[in-house]
Amino acid sequence: MRVAGAAKLVVAVAVFLLTFYVISQVFEIKMDASLGNLFARSALDTAARSTKPPRYKCGISKACPEKHFAFKMASGAANVVGPKICLEDNVLMSGVKNNVGRGINVALANGKTGEVLDTKYFDMWGGDVAPFIEFLKAIQDGTIVLMGTYDDGATKLNDEARRLIAELGSTSITNLGFRDNWVFCGGKGIKTKSPFEQVSILDSQK
């Protein structure tokens, strides 16, 4: 009886040890696989983050030098998509903000701090140019002026309005025509012509 009992005990212990060994091996394999996957995902995430291009203010292609303001502008597309004006990663005017309109869209900012001073649009097709002229005359020295057209920004422009915009640094305003796409960034009191200006002539006028 004792021999049989001892044999049963040995078999039971052997089975237990075998079972424990199998479970531990399976657990270890699963644990290794999980950690392996975790490290693999972590490496991939790190690689993805390191290869992702940096984002600069207003979505421009590179960072601005110190003591410069980042800005980006887009004129309206025909009479469908409104213009967009961004300064220091702050969208000042856009169709989404619902503060743009047909004509010339204008945003003013403090030239030292970048603080937004005003945003307005002036209808140069069916509106009156007189309020626009008064607005331009009231701009203070040291103010950054950003402008973009939407639909038609030229029909009601007279010589006085064009001259006032030219004094802000524009070179293209003199010849801006019906439904030309135009964006411009200048300033009140600027001593030279601004390099920040683009105009696209309407195809029918080329």
Side-chain angles (χ1 to χ4, degrees):
M1 289 293 290
R2 289 182 181 178
V3 175
K8 287 180 181 179
L9 179 61
V10 170
V11 170
V13 170
V15 169
F16 172 76
L17 291 174
L18 179 62
T19 304
F20 177 79
Y21 174 78
V22 170
I23 291 174
S24 65
Q25 288 301 305
V26 172
F27 178 78
E28 185 178 348
I29 290 170
K30 288 183 177 179
M31 178 63 77
D32 289 346
S34 298
L35 289 174
N37 290 337
L38 179 63
F39 287 133
R41 283 198 298 271
S42 177
L44 288 173
D45 291 343
T46 303
R49 283 196 297 270
S50 64
T51 57
K52 186 178 180 181
R55 183 192 176 280
Y56 301 111
K57 292 179 180 179
C58 291
I60 60 178
S61 59
K62 60 182 179 180
C64 284
E66 259 186 85
K67 297 183 180 179
H68 286 67
F69 295 123
F71 71 95
K72 187 176 182 178
M73 297 185 292
S75 67
N79 60 349
V80 180
V81 181
K84 184 176 180 179
I85 298 176
C86 176
L87 177 68
E88 283 294 284
D89 227 17
N90 180 22
V91 177
L92 309 184
M93 304 185 76
S94 71
V96 174
K97 292 178 73 74
N98 198 30
N99 63 346
V100 296
R102 181 174 66 182
I104 295 181
N105 295 260
V106 190
L108 304 180
N110 185 297
K112 290 184 178 179
T113 65
E115 177 190 359
V116 182
L117 303 175
D118 202 358
T119 58
K120 276 188 171 62
Y121 62 87
F122 299 88
D123 187 350
M124 293 292 102
W125 167 255
D128 186 357
V129 73
F132 186 36
I133 290 174
E134 292 306 310
F135 177 83
L136 292 171
K137 287 180 176 179
I139 297 174
Q140 300 295 309
D141 280 354
T143 301
I144 299 171
V145 183
L146 304 103
M147 297 185 177
T149 57
Y150 181 23
D151 192 11
D152 175 35
T155 296
K156 290 292 182 71
L157 281 181
N158 58 19
D159 290 342
E160 184 178 11
R162 292 176 188 268
R163 176 180 58 78
L164 290 168
I165 297 173
E167 289 176 358
L168 299 172
S170 172
T171 55
S172 300
I173 191 64
T174 305
N175 300 313
L176 189 70
F178 173 69
R179 280 193 168 175
D180 288 347
N181 292 322
W182 173 69
V183 288
F184 163 71
C185 178
K188 186 63 177 285
I190 192 171
K191 302 301 181 183
T192 59
K193 294 303 179 182
S194 171
F196 306 114
E197 183 173 30
Q198 288 187 349
V199 62
S200 176
I201 306 299
L202 182 68
D203 286 343
S204 62
Q205 300 184 77
K206 292 180 180 178

PDB file of all heavy atoms in Angstrom, residues 122 124 128-138 158-162 164:
ATOM      1  N   PHE A 122     -15.510  95.824 -47.759  1.00  0.00           N
ATOM      2  CA  PHE A 122     -16.152  96.923 -48.471  1.00  0.00           C
ATOM      3  C   PHE A 122     -16.548  96.450 -49.868  1.00  0.00           C
ATOM      4  O   PHE A 122     -15.701  96.005 -50.646  1.00  0.00           O
ATOM      5  CB  PHE A 122     -15.198  98.125 -48.561  1.00  0.00           C
ATOM      6  CG  PHE A 122     -14.795  98.664 -47.214  1.00  0.00           C
ATOM      7  CD1 PHE A 122     -13.687  98.149 -46.556  1.00  0.00           C
ATOM      8  CD2 PHE A 122     -15.534  99.663 -46.590  1.00  0.00           C
ATOM      9  CE1 PHE A 122     -13.309  98.627 -45.305  1.00  0.00           C
ATOM     10  CE2 PHE A 122     -15.164 100.148 -45.326  1.00  0.00           C
ATOM     11  CZ  PHE A 122     -14.052  99.628 -44.697  1.00  0.00           C
ATOM     12  N   MET A 124     -17.112  96.596 -53.440  1.00  0.00           N
ATOM     13  CA  MET A 124     -16.635  97.458 -54.531  1.00  0.00           C
ATOM     14  C   MET A 124     -17.379  97.194 -55.839  1.00  0.00           C
ATOM     15  O   MET A 124     -16.932  97.633 -56.910  1.00  0.00           O
ATOM     16  CB  MET A 124     -15.132  97.276 -54.731  1.00  0.00           C
ATOM     17  CG  MET A 124     -14.290  97.773 -53.561  1.00  0.00           C
ATOM     18  SD  MET A 124     -14.328  99.578 -53.377  1.00  0.00           S
ATOM     19  CE  MET A 124     -15.484  99.782 -52.026  1.00  0.00           C
ATOM     20  N   ASP A 128     -20.567 101.700 -51.968  1.00  0.00           N
ATOM     21  CA  ASP A 128     -20.036 103.057 -52.138  1.00  0.00           C
ATOM     22  C   ASP A 128     -18.580 103.072 -51.697  1.00  0.00           C
ATOM     23  O   ASP A 128     -18.239 102.504 -50.650  1.00  0.00           O
ATOM     24  CB  ASP A 128     -20.870 104.028 -51.303  1.00  0.00           C
ATOM     25  CG  ASP A 128     -20.485 105.478 -51.534  1.00  0.00           C
ATOM     26  OD1 ASP A 128     -19.535 105.727 -52.303  1.00  0.00           O
ATOM     27  OD2 ASP A 128     -21.121 106.358 -50.932  1.00  0.00           O
ATOM     28  N   VAL A 129     -17.734 103.715 -52.456  1.00  0.00           N
ATOM     29  CA  VAL A 129     -16.307 103.741 -52.128  1.00  0.00           C
ATOM     30  C   VAL A 129     -15.990 104.721 -51.004  1.00  0.00           C
ATOM     31  O   VAL A 129     -14.952 104.611 -50.358  1.00  0.00           O
ATOM     32  CB  VAL A 129     -15.463 104.078 -53.388  1.00  0.00           C
ATOM     33  CG1 VAL A 129     -15.615 105.547 -53.771  1.00  0.00           C
ATOM     34  CG2 VAL A 129     -14.001 103.719 -53.177  1.00  0.00           C
ATOM     35  N   ALA A 130     -16.902 105.670 -50.746  1.00  0.00           N
ATOM     36  CA  ALA A 130     -16.624 106.721 -49.752  1.00  0.00           C
ATOM     37  C   ALA A 130     -16.300 106.154 -48.361  1.00  0.00           C
ATOM     38  O   ALA A 130     -15.304 106.579 -47.738  1.00  0.00           O
ATOM     39  CB  ALA A 130     -17.793 107.701 -49.679  1.00  0.00           C
ATOM     40  N   PRO A 131     -17.061 105.197 -47.809  1.00  0.00           N
ATOM     41  CA  PRO A 131     -16.700 104.648 -46.487  1.00  0.00           C
ATOM     42  C   PRO A 131     -15.338 103.967 -46.490  1.00  0.00           C
ATOM     43  O   PRO A 131     -14.621 104.009 -45.475  1.00  0.00           O
ATOM     44  CB  PRO A 131     -17.829 103.641 -46.210  1.00  0.00           C
ATOM     45  CG  PRO A 131     -18.964 104.080 -47.053  1.00  0.00           C
ATOM     46  CD  PRO A 131     -18.344 104.651 -48.296  1.00  0.00           C
ATOM     47  N   PHE A 132     -14.980 103.359 -47.604  1.00  0.00           N
ATOM     48  CA  PHE A 132     -13.679 102.703 -47.709  1.00  0.00           C
ATOM     49  C   PHE A 132     -12.560 103.740 -47.658  1.00  0.00           C
ATOM     50  O   PHE A 132     -11.541 103.546 -46.975  1.00  0.00           O
ATOM     51  CB  PHE A 132     -13.610 101.898 -49.008  1.00  0.00           C
ATOM     52  CG  PHE A 132     -12.366 101.057 -49.160  1.00  0.00           C
ATOM     53  CD1 PHE A 132     -11.782 100.429 -48.067  1.00  0.00           C
ATOM     54  CD2 PHE A 132     -11.781 100.887 -50.412  1.00  0.00           C
ATOM     55  CE1 PHE A 132     -10.639  99.651 -48.216  1.00  0.00           C
ATOM     56  CE2 PHE A 132     -10.636 100.115 -50.566  1.00  0.00           C
ATOM     57  CZ  PHE A 132     -10.058  99.501 -49.460  1.00  0.00           C
ATOM     58  N   ILE A 133     -12.762 104.849 -48.339  1.00  0.00           N
ATOM     59  CA  ILE A 133     -11.758 105.921 -48.330  1.00  0.00           C
ATOM     60  C   ILE A 133     -11.581 106.478 -46.918  1.00  0.00           C
ATOM     61  O   ILE A 133     -10.450 106.687 -46.452  1.00  0.00           O
ATOM     62  CB  ILE A 133     -12.147 107.037 -49.319  1.00  0.00           C
ATOM     63  CG1 ILE A 133     -11.992 106.522 -50.755  1.00  0.00           C
ATOM     64  CG2 ILE A 133     -11.297 108.280 -49.092  1.00  0.00           C
ATOM     65  CD1 ILE A 133     -12.490 107.476 -51.820  1.00  0.00           C
ATOM     66  N   GLU A 134     -12.679 106.702 -46.228  1.00  0.00           N
ATOM     67  CA  GLU A 134     -12.602 107.205 -44.854  1.00  0.00           C
ATOM     68  C   GLU A 134     -11.892 106.208 -43.943  1.00  0.00           C
ATOM     69  O   GLU A 134     -11.114 106.588 -43.064  1.00  0.00           O
ATOM     70  CB  GLU A 134     -14.011 107.495 -44.324  1.00  0.00           C
ATOM     71  CG  GLU A 134     -14.699 108.673 -45.011  1.00  0.00           C
ATOM     72  CD  GLU A 134     -13.846 109.938 -44.981  1.00  0.00           C
ATOM     73  OE1 GLU A 134     -13.372 110.297 -43.871  1.00  0.00           O
ATOM     74  OE2 GLU A 134     -13.633 110.547 -46.047  1.00  0.00           O
ATOM     75  N   PHE A 135     -12.153 104.931 -44.155  1.00  0.00           N
ATOM     76  CA  PHE A 135     -11.497 103.873 -43.384  1.00  0.00           C
ATOM     77  C   PHE A 135      -9.990 103.901 -43.622  1.00  0.00           C
ATOM     78  O   PHE A 135      -9.198 103.817 -42.670  1.00  0.00           O
ATOM     79  CB  PHE A 135     -12.083 102.521 -43.791  1.00  0.00           C
ATOM     80  CG  PHE A 135     -11.448 101.341 -43.122  1.00  0.00           C
ATOM     81  CD1 PHE A 135     -11.846 100.933 -41.843  1.00  0.00           C
ATOM     82  CD2 PHE A 135     -10.449 100.609 -43.758  1.00  0.00           C
ATOM     83  CE1 PHE A 135     -11.258  99.831 -41.229  1.00  0.00           C
ATOM     84  CE2 PHE A 135      -9.860  99.508 -43.152  1.00  0.00           C
ATOM     85  CZ  PHE A 135     -10.267  99.116 -41.875  1.00  0.00           C
ATOM     86  N   LEU A 136      -9.582 104.022 -44.872  1.00  0.00           N
ATOM     87  CA  LEU A 136      -8.148 104.043 -45.209  1.00  0.00           C
ATOM     88  C   LEU A 136      -7.455 105.271 -44.614  1.00  0.00           C
ATOM     89  O   LEU A 136      -6.329 105.171 -44.121  1.00  0.00           O
ATOM     90  CB  LEU A 136      -7.980 104.037 -46.736  1.00  0.00           C
ATOM     91  CG  LEU A 136      -8.399 102.751 -47.458  1.00  0.00           C
ATOM     92  CD1 LEU A 136      -8.394 102.960 -48.973  1.00  0.00           C
ATOM     93  CD2 LEU A 136      -7.488 101.588 -47.086  1.00  0.00           C
ATOM     94  N   LYS A 137      -8.129 106.397 -44.631  1.00  0.00           N
ATOM     95  CA  LYS A 137      -7.542 107.631 -44.087  1.00  0.00           C
ATOM     96  C   LYS A 137      -7.359 107.546 -42.574  1.00  0.00           C
ATOM     97  O   LYS A 137      -6.455 108.187 -42.023  1.00  0.00           O
ATOM     98  CB  LYS A 137      -8.432 108.830 -44.428  1.00  0.00           C
ATOM     99  CG  LYS A 137      -8.391 109.255 -45.887  1.00  0.00           C
ATOM    100  CD  LYS A 137      -9.303 110.446 -46.120  1.00  0.00           C
ATOM    101  CE  LYS A 137      -9.213 110.951 -47.547  1.00  0.00           C
ATOM    102  NZ  LYS A 137     -10.122 112.098 -47.797  1.00  0.00           N
ATOM    103  N   ALA A 138      -8.197 106.770 -41.910  1.00  0.00           N
ATOM    104  CA  ALA A 138      -8.161 106.697 -40.441  1.00  0.00           C
ATOM    105  C   ALA A 138      -7.121 105.713 -39.911  1.00  0.00           C
ATOM    106  O   ALA A 138      -6.883 105.656 -38.701  1.00  0.00           O
ATOM    107  CB  ALA A 138      -9.545 106.313 -39.916  1.00  0.00           C
ATOM    108  N   ASN A 158     -11.847 104.263 -56.987  1.00  0.00           N
ATOM    109  CA  ASN A 158     -11.484 105.458 -57.754  1.00  0.00           C
ATOM    110  C   ASN A 158     -10.004 105.773 -57.531  1.00  0.00           C
ATOM    111  O   ASN A 158      -9.305 105.063 -56.806  1.00  0.00           O
ATOM    112  CB  ASN A 158     -12.370 106.646 -57.382  1.00  0.00           C
ATOM    113  CG  ASN A 158     -12.312 106.983 -55.895  1.00  0.00           C
ATOM    114  OD1 ASN A 158     -11.371 106.591 -55.189  1.00  0.00           O
ATOM    115  ND2 ASN A 158     -13.314 107.710 -55.407  1.00  0.00           N
ATOM    116  N   ASP A 159      -9.535 106.838 -58.131  1.00  0.00           N
ATOM    117  CA  ASP A 159      -8.113 107.178 -58.049  1.00  0.00           C
ATOM    118  C   ASP A 159      -7.672 107.445 -56.609  1.00  0.00           C
ATOM    119  O   ASP A 159      -6.549 107.084 -56.211  1.00  0.00           O
ATOM    120  CB  ASP A 159      -7.811 108.407 -58.911  1.00  0.00           C
ATOM    121  CG  ASP A 159      -7.908 108.107 -60.397  1.00  0.00           C
ATOM    122  OD1 ASP A 159      -7.871 106.908 -60.757  1.00  0.00           O
ATOM    123  OD2 ASP A 159      -8.031 109.057 -61.200  1.00  0.00           O
ATOM    124  N   GLU A 160      -8.538 108.078 -55.814  1.00  0.00           N
ATOM    125  CA  GLU A 160      -8.160 108.392 -54.433  1.00  0.00           C
ATOM    126  C   GLU A 160      -7.978 107.122 -53.608  1.00  0.00           C
ATOM    127  O   GLU A 160      -6.998 106.992 -52.854  1.00  0.00           O
ATOM    128  CB  GLU A 160      -9.219 109.282 -53.783  1.00  0.00           C
ATOM    129  CG  GLU A 160      -8.834 109.720 -52.379  1.00  0.00           C
ATOM    130  CD  GLU A 160      -9.853 110.650 -51.736  1.00  0.00           C
ATOM    131  OE1 GLU A 160     -10.961 110.786 -52.292  1.00  0.00           O
ATOM    132  OE2 GLU A 160      -9.547 111.228 -50.676  1.00  0.00           O
ATOM    133  N   ALA A 161      -8.896 106.189 -53.754  1.00  0.00           N
ATOM    134  CA  ALA A 161      -8.790 104.930 -53.005  1.00  0.00           C
ATOM    135  C   ALA A 161      -7.543 104.165 -53.421  1.00  0.00           C
ATOM    136  O   ALA A 161      -6.826 103.608 -52.570  1.00  0.00           O
ATOM    137  CB  ALA A 161     -10.036 104.083 -53.234  1.00  0.00           C
ATOM    138  N   ARG A 162      -7.274 104.133 -54.718  1.00  0.00           N
ATOM    139  CA  ARG A 162      -6.089 103.438 -55.203  1.00  0.00           C
ATOM    140  C   ARG A 162      -4.808 104.100 -54.681  1.00  0.00           C
ATOM    141  O   ARG A 162      -3.842 103.420 -54.325  1.00  0.00           O
ATOM    142  CB  ARG A 162      -6.095 103.382 -56.733  1.00  0.00           C
ATOM    143  CG  ARG A 162      -7.203 102.489 -57.307  1.00  0.00           C
ATOM    144  CD  ARG A 162      -7.232 102.550 -58.834  1.00  0.00           C
ATOM    145  NE  ARG A 162      -8.393 101.866 -59.393  1.00  0.00           N
ATOM    146  CZ  ARG A 162      -8.423 100.595 -59.779  1.00  0.00           C
ATOM    147  NH1 ARG A 162      -7.343  99.854 -59.666  1.00  0.00           N
ATOM    148  NH2 ARG A 162      -9.524 100.068 -60.282  1.00  0.00           N
ATOM    149  N   LEU A 164      -4.443 105.798 -51.873  1.00  0.00           N
ATOM    150  CA  LEU A 164      -4.305 105.516 -50.444  1.00  0.00           C
ATOM    151  C   LEU A 164      -3.771 104.103 -50.201  1.00  0.00           C
ATOM    152  O   LEU A 164      -2.967 103.878 -49.286  1.00  0.00           O
ATOM    153  CB  LEU A 164      -5.653 105.700 -49.747  1.00  0.00           C
ATOM    154  CG  LEU A 164      -6.143 107.152 -49.639  1.00  0.00           C
ATOM    155  CD1 LEU A 164      -7.610 107.194 -49.199  1.00  0.00           C
ATOM    156  CD2 LEU A 164      -5.263 107.945 -48.671  1.00  0.00           C
TER     157      LEU A 164
END
